[in-house]
Amino acid sequence: MQLDAKIPGGPLTEKWDKYRFDMKLVSPANKKKLDIIVIGTGLAGASASATLAELGYNIKSFCLQDSPRRAHSIAAQGGINAAKNYSNDGDSIWRLFYDTIKGGDFRSREANVYRLAQISNNIIDHCVAQGVPFARDYGGLLANRSFGGAQVSRTFYSRGQTGQQLLLGAYGGLMRQVADGKIKMFPRREILDFVLVNNKARGIVVRNLITGKIENHAADAIVLGTGGYINTFFLSTNAMASNVTAAFRAYEKGACFANPCFTQIHPTCIPVHGAHQSKLTLMSESLRNDGRVWVPKTPGDKRSLNQIPESERDYYLENRYPAFGNLVPRDVASRNAKMQCDMGKGVGKTGLAVCLDFDDAIKRDGKDVIRKKYGNLFQMYAKITGDNPYESPMMIYPAAHYAMGGLWVDYNLMSTIPGLFVIGEANFSDHGANRLGASALMQGLGDGYFILPYTIGGYLAGTSMQKVTADDPEFKDAAKKSELRINSLLSIKGKRTVNDFHKELGSILWEHCGMSRNNEKLLRAQNLIRELREEFWKNVIVPGSGKEFNQSLERAGRVADFLKFGELIVIDALARKESCGSHFNEAYQTEENEAKRNDKDFCHVAAWEFAGDNKEPVLNKEPLAFENVELSQRSYK
Ligand SMILES: Cc1cc2nc3c(=O)[nH]c(=O)nc-3n(C[C@H](O)[C@H](O)[C@H](O)COP(=O)(O)OP(=O)(O)OC[C@H]3O[C@@H](n4cnc5c(N)ncnc54)[C@H](O)[C@@H]3O)c2cc1C
């Protein structure tokens, strides 16, 4: 397949403005005649639906939950980046662009990242206009704090609930259009398949999760904002319902999947504490503004944490990375935590934890100041662990968190299936091999509010479209195939639960394709996943029927896709014979154990093309050209 990223020519700073001017427009009268399906009501999907409906298109909006407000985005904690430079500490659009490119270890597109930095400021203005209650400083300006990989404070926040407040803003915009009749809401629906007519995305098949009924919907274009795939790892910080099903179905229909092995492991999560856990909890990166990370200097030190004197603590991030200290990017912080624990310096019962200590900050600023900044996070930590973080250090460990990989999209956010646009965490987006904290919300809202509304218009204005309806044979065929798949899952009647399979897949990936990878482990993982998948289709038990509310069936469908997709993660990791960002292959490291890129052979996006069941996928490469920044070894020292 020939990938064309459609990056406009001209100087970097002018590309987006010029492109928007050159794009064909759909007249207001014609917008009213066009139907768009938007799947997902997280920050990406809700912002896109609201904006497209406001423009005049007819929108059908789908989500898994009972309310659009319950999308996983509601969980985002720490903040959203923008280059406003309110702190007057040297920030600029160019600096946000550069930090993001470098943070992603030079594996993202310059043009996309620059555009994102440009529109970051519009996002903040838009959200403020909606009434999002961002924190403010003493003078009334919006306050900022720092996140990893940046030496300026550019993160806007609403305590530790930024995602919730932003989503309520987008939800308000969405519901206003529902009330106006421009958006029709379809909650509790799961996408099962896409319908292509003349090679263009023209419809979807969904299952009503309450009644089990299969429904078909037709449109002129489809937008996928279904979030990330990190639940492939079973234990993660993501909402339980987050899945790869929609993206994987699109992949099977011809959309390339880009960089699936770029999986972010977040350094500060509450450690695993038992075999019966199904979820891990994030402790926001914002905590590293004030919390200091340390381990005991002596391996095997089992004293209680408060008894370990200052002179016997190793503040390893501050010592190793004096320029960025505790605010190094996530991949660097996670790998270092693992290295300390591998050396036997981990704390807690399992030895798989490091300390995040607020003692100095509390002595300096007082408990009340710290409570105001992080109160809800401290409360969450205390509730889950039974420990009081105001009195003794938090214990934290890395956990699977975010997907930098996703469906490949061009500059228009269109996948390799014409008419199928992908936004938010579901696309492979702008974060390269490692996402900087507070950049996902920026990207999801940038896609939904400010990029897609233009580019989808360009597509619709420039494409001739035949009329299709949900009763056409292509739709009936797709619905029949979905029903067959459901029936085959129900008919296995084996002995192992869906959860059991998912758990095993997660531990294979965590052990063999987690923070540190090597070729031997990756090959083993590929075999183990294949065997597990084979067993799944012979031995899974899915009780109940397809004609009712059946959560086991929902999960079975998602885990069946995770079992296929898990292998794609490993295949991609095997093919990328370098280390970059989150993808750390032990064979490629510097003398100081940092990721060592191979720009000569791997400065590209790996876009995988489906070749058929049980066939090796085809690797397509989109070369990455860096004309405005110099490729360098990433350093945070
Ligand atoms: C605990 C936590 C804290 C975070 N904090 C921050 C932060 O402070 N700053 C930051 O920038 N980022 C943060 N992130 C990342 C950020 O929250 C996500 O990347 C972002 O919210 C994803 O938004 P989205 O709209 O792409 O997808 P989601 O919010 O995941 O929404 C997906 C939507 O798609 C629907 N959907 C999914 N699958 C299907 C299907 N098969 N059929 C039909 N519908 C489907 C869902 O119902 C939902 O409506 C955090 C992530 C976590 C886990």
Side-chain angles (χ1 to χ4, degrees):
M1 180 181 299
Q2 198 60 39
L3 294 172
D4 180 1
K6 302 206 174 68
I7 298 169
L12 185 67
T13 54
E14 292 165 24
K15 281 184 199 288
W16 179 229
D17 285 346
K18 169 106 179 30
Y19 192 65
R20 278 189 301 169
F21 180 72
D22 289 344
M23 227 177 310
K24 284 191 179 150
L25 295 175
V26 183
S27 75
N30 284 339
K31 282 189 185 118
K32 290 188 191 128
K33 298 180 204 153
L34 291 165
D35 302 328
I36 300 175
I37 284 174
V38 181
I39 309 152
T41 57
L43 284 171
S47 57
S49 294
T51 312
L52 292 170
E54 195 80 45
L55 283 169
Y57 297 105
N58 308 308
I59 307 298
K60 283 183 173 182
S61 164
F62 295 79
C63 69
L64 293 173
Q65 292 81 2
D66 54 348
S67 157
R69 253 181 349 200
R70 290 193 208 276
H72 156 70
S73 292
I74 202 93
Q77 298 174 347
I80 173 166
N81 285 334
K84 285 280 193 189
N85 193 29
Y86 284 162
S87 309
N88 202 20
D89 54 359
D91 203 8
S92 62
I93 288 172
W94 193 269
R95 191 177 295 282
L96 174 53
F97 155 70
Y98 180 76
D99 285 350
T100 311
I101 288 274
K102 175 183 164 190
D105 217 353
F106 305 92
R107 290 292 174 264
S108 44
R109 270 187 213 138
E110 276 191 343
N112 285 51
V113 178
Y114 190 82
R115 173 175 67 182
L116 180 62
Q118 269 179 313
I119 60 175
S120 66
N121 292 337
N122 306 54
I123 299 171
I124 300 301
D125 294 343
H126 191 70
C127 296
V128 169
Q130 286 174 335
V132 172
F134 285 121
R136 289 180 183 263
D137 68 14
Y138 71 95
L141 271 185
L142 300 188
N144 285 143
R145 57 188 173 196
S146 305
F147 263 55
Q151 286 176 311
V152 295
S153 292
R154 63 160 73 99
T155 304
F156 295 74
Y157 62 100
S158 301
R159 297 180 80 190
Q161 301 153 339
T162 316
Q164 182 185 31
Q165 297 307 326
L166 292 172
L167 190 58
L168 289 176
Y171 170 77
L174 178 100
M175 293 314 282
R176 179 179 127 88
Q177 294 298 331
V178 170
D180 275 1
K182 289 303 289 179
I183 297 182
K184 194 159 177 343
M185 212 36 247
F186 294 86
R188 305 299 277 134
R189 303 296 201 286
E190 174 144 29
I191 179 156
L192 298 180
D193 211 350
F194 294 88
V195 182
L196 271 50
V197 180
N198 284 338
N199 294 322
K200 294 190 189 78
R202 297 302 304 271
I204 55 172
V205 177
V206 296
R207 178 167 182 269
N208 181 322
L209 297 177
I210 304 295
T211 63
K213 194 166 174 278
I214 306 289
E215 303 164 0
N216 298 334
H217 297 268
D220 298 294
I222 296 174
V223 180
L224 202 65
T226 45
Y229 55 76
I230 215 69
N231 271 357
T232 319
F233 282 80
F234 182 66
L235 281 181
S236 89
T237 59
N238 282 22
M240 293 297 286
S242 297
N243 64 87
V244 75
T245 290
F248 200 77
R249 231 11 45 74
Y251 163 71
E252 287 178 331
K253 281 275 155 112
C256 282
F257 213 111
N259 300 335
C261 82
F262 290 170
T263 49
Q264 179 162 83
I265 313 287
H266 195 296
T268 57
C269 303
I270 298 182
V272 177
H273 58 73
H276 298 291
Q277 244 176 302
S278 49
K279 172 97 183 66
L280 291 174
T281 306
L282 176 77
M283 288 287 103
S284 167
E285 181 159 314
S286 58
L287 293 167
R288 284 196 274 147
N289 272 270
D290 288 299
R292 299 180 67 196
V293 178
W294 63 270
V295 289
K297 277 189 179 160
T298 319
D301 190 337
K302 287 292 165 206
R303 280 176 290 178
S304 88
L305 299 177
N306 284 340
Q307 280 176 342
I308 300 178
E310 194 64 20
S311 58
E312 294 179 44
R313 298 174 176 190
D314 180 3
Y315 292 89
Y316 58 90
L317 290 179
E318 295 173 22
N319 297 336
R320 203 168 165 202
Y321 306 98
F324 284 70
N326 294 298
L327 281 170
V328 289
R330 293 175 178 178
D331 54 333
V332 178
S334 293
R335 264 199 301 280
N336 274 276
K338 181 178 184 305
M339 261 162 18
Q340 297 298 328
C341 294
D342 289 351
M343 284 189 273
K345 294 186 186 176
V347 298
K349 277 190 196 131
T350 59
L352 289 177
V354 300
C355 299
L356 182 62
D357 195 338
F358 294 87
D359 195 37
D360 284 347
I362 291 172
K363 279 189 193 133
R364 188 187 61 225
D365 300 336
K367 244 186 209 175
D368 280 349
V369 171
I370 296 299
R371 186 175 291 118
K372 268 193 193 135
K373 282 186 180 167
Y374 312 115
N376 69 314
L377 299 169
F378 275 45
Q379 190 188 32
M380 202 152 65
Y381 182 86
K383 273 194 175 171
I384 293 173
T385 62
D387 292 335
N388 180 353
Y390 293 99
E391 304 295 337
S392 62
M394 286 184 177
M395 285 189 272
I396 47 147
Y397 196 67
H401 176 65
Y402 181 86
M404 276 79 64
L407 290 175
W408 184 90
V409 286
D410 63 14
Y411 191 71
N412 297 311
L413 304 181
M414 191 161 88
S415 69
T416 45
I417 300 179
L420 177 65
F421 291 77
V422 191
I423 56 176
E425 196 174 334
N427 72 24
F428 88 104
S429 87
D430 308 340
H431 310 296
N434 169 61
R435 172 175 71 82
L436 292 184
S439 286
L441 302 185
M442 170 173 73
Q443 180 236 326
L445 289 179
D447 287 357
Y449 283 135
F450 293 108
I451 302 172
L452 178 86
Y454 288 99
T455 58
I456 204 168
Y459 167 77
L460 290 166
T463 309
S464 65
M465 214 90 69
Q466 69 186 84
K467 197 80 206 148
V468 301
T469 78
D471 296 323
D472 290 350
E474 291 91 340
F475 285 78
K476 289 190 174 145
D477 281 357
K480 200 170 270 169
K481 275 191 198 133
S482 297
E483 274 184 46
L484 282 175
R485 189 164 185 268
I486 287 172
N487 290 339
S488 51
L489 281 168
L490 289 165
S491 66
I492 300 168
K493 297 191 193 306
K495 292 203 164 51
R496 257 183 103 176
T497 62
V498 172
N499 227 31
D500 210 30
F501 281 102
H502 194 182
K503 216 176 195 174
E504 188 171 337
L505 172 68
S507 77
I508 294 172
L509 284 172
W510 183 252
E511 289 303 323
H512 301 79
C513 192
M515 277 180 279
S516 192
R517 303 160 176 184
N518 65 47
N519 296 339
E520 195 189 324
K521 278 198 207 167
L522 290 171
L523 284 169
R524 196 177 321 134
Q526 191 175 12
N527 285 333
L528 290 171
I529 294 172
R530 281 183 183 167
E531 282 165 24
L532 190 66
R533 193 168 61 227
E534 215 168 284
E535 191 199 335
F536 176 90
W537 283 101
K538 287 183 189 143
N539 196 23
V540 72
I541 174 153
V542 187
S545 82
K547 308 278 181 219
E548 58 185 344
F549 175 69
N550 185 344
Q551 288 196 305
S552 298
L553 178 62
E554 289 170 30
R555 288 206 193 101
R558 291 172 205 158
V559 172
D561 292 324
F562 282 140
L563 280 163
K564 287 188 189 165
F565 178 68
E567 189 182 346
L568 191 63
I569 295 182
V570 173
I571 289 175
D572 186 41
L574 269 168
R576 191 167 277 280
K577 299 201 185 312
E578 65 166 349
S579 291
C580 57
S582 64
H583 170 61
F584 187 79
N585 185 323
E586 290 150 19
Y588 314 104
Q589 50 185 309
T590 65
E591 280 173 9
E592 294 168 310
N593 305 109
E594 304 290 356
K596 191 171 172 190
R597 296 193 319 268
N598 172 352
D599 293 331
K600 190 171 142 282
D601 301 314
F602 290 92
C603 194
H604 61 244
V605 177
W608 295 93
E609 186 182 345
F610 184 66
D613 275 329
N614 300 319
K615 290 202 180 125
E616 284 287 317
V618 177
L619 175 59
N620 301 285
K621 295 178 187 173
E622 178 203 333
L624 291 167
F626 290 90
E627 291 159 359
N628 297 276
V629 299
E630 205 178 310
L631 285 162
S632 58
Q633 169 66 37
R634 216 163 140 230
S635 168
Y636 292 95
K637 296 193 168 169

